[in-house]
Amino acid sequence: MASKKGIAITAAIVAGVVATSMLIWLQPQTQTVTNITDSELASQDVANMPANNISFVYNEHDLITTEIESAYEKWTTGDISSNELKAGIDRVRLDAAQLKNRLTAGQPPEEWRQSYSLYAQALEKFDAYLKEMEAIVNSENRDPAPARLAEIKQEMDSLAEQAVDAFPK
């Protein structure tokens, strides 16, 4: 049979867990949105949080790369028009320029400079990738895997990988 002391301890633990769960559940759910065009914030991030800043740029770059590759694939199969893809390329090009701005907005600490420089080069390659994609769209050649586009992407991915490898240990 259970003792009164054991029941009281169990009840206190259960009450604490339930109360904590309720507090967490009742907390307002806030979302933090980072504006990639905020150059003042970007400059502060470069100086004060270089790892967070370059990680943000890396993640956003990955996102826009996936977005435009998906749109390109839809274009090759005729699911979207050339004008829709060109609009997507223009939008992604603007986003990439803003990401590059985040890298060049301030001075990263010395140990991060090589990584920042390499990633800025990767973003320059991404611009070349977008220009090549746009040239393909203008030619109306719906080849799903043109060699030059794949070559530029490989160079861009290599630079991004080198930038990650250059992260300070």
Side-chain angles (χ1 to χ4, degrees):
M1 212 170 285
S3 69
K4 290 182 183 184
K5 184 178 177 183
I7 293 173
I9 291 173
T10 302
I13 291 171
V14 169
V17 169
V18 169
T20 302
S21 297
M22 289 298 292
L23 283 173
I24 292 171
W25 184 71
L26 292 174
Q27 292 283 330
Q29 300 296 320
T30 59
Q31 289 185 332
T32 335
V33 177
T34 304
N35 181 353
I36 65 172
T37 63
D38 186 345
S39 59
E40 183 178 327
L41 179 62
S43 181
Q44 292 171 2
D45 284 353
V46 168
N48 300 325
M49 299 180 294
N52 291 352
N53 188 55
I54 200 165
S55 293
F56 173 81
V57 169
Y58 180 89
N59 289 331
E60 289 296 313
H61 179 223
D62 187 51
L63 182 71
I64 63 175
T65 301
T66 302
E67 175 187 332
I68 201 62
E69 287 174 346
S70 174
Y72 180 79
E73 187 170 320
K74 288 179 182 176
W75 176 77
T76 62
T77 59
D79 292 340
I80 65 170
S81 70
S82 295
N83 287 337
E84 288 173 303
L85 182 55
K86 286 178 190 178
I89 291 170
D90 289 342
R91 187 176 53 256
V92 166
R93 184 177 283 132
L94 179 62
D95 288 346
Q98 291 168 343
L99 290 173
K100 187 174 177 199
N101 245 6
R102 282 189 69 92
L103 292 177
T104 59
Q107 279 292 339
E110 182 65 40
E111 65 270 15
W112 284 95
R113 288 192 183 141
Q114 181 182 13
S115 185
Y116 271 62
S117 174
L118 286 165
Y119 212 91
Q121 291 174 44
L123 289 170
E124 288 171 10
K125 278 292 178 193
F126 186 59
D127 189 54
Y129 178 77
L130 294 172
K131 286 177 183 172
E132 182 66 20
M133 186 181 287
E134 190 170 38
I136 292 167
V137 173
N138 288 334
S139 75
E140 290 294 327
N141 175 9
R142 293 185 186 252
D143 179 9
R148 179 67 185 136
L149 197 61
E151 180 184 318
I152 295 170
K153 175 135 178 22
Q154 184 178 12
E155 292 170 6
M156 175 187 71
D157 290 344
S158 175
L159 284 165
E161 187 177 315
Q162 289 175 44
V164 170
D165 290 343
F167 281 11
K169 305 292 184 231

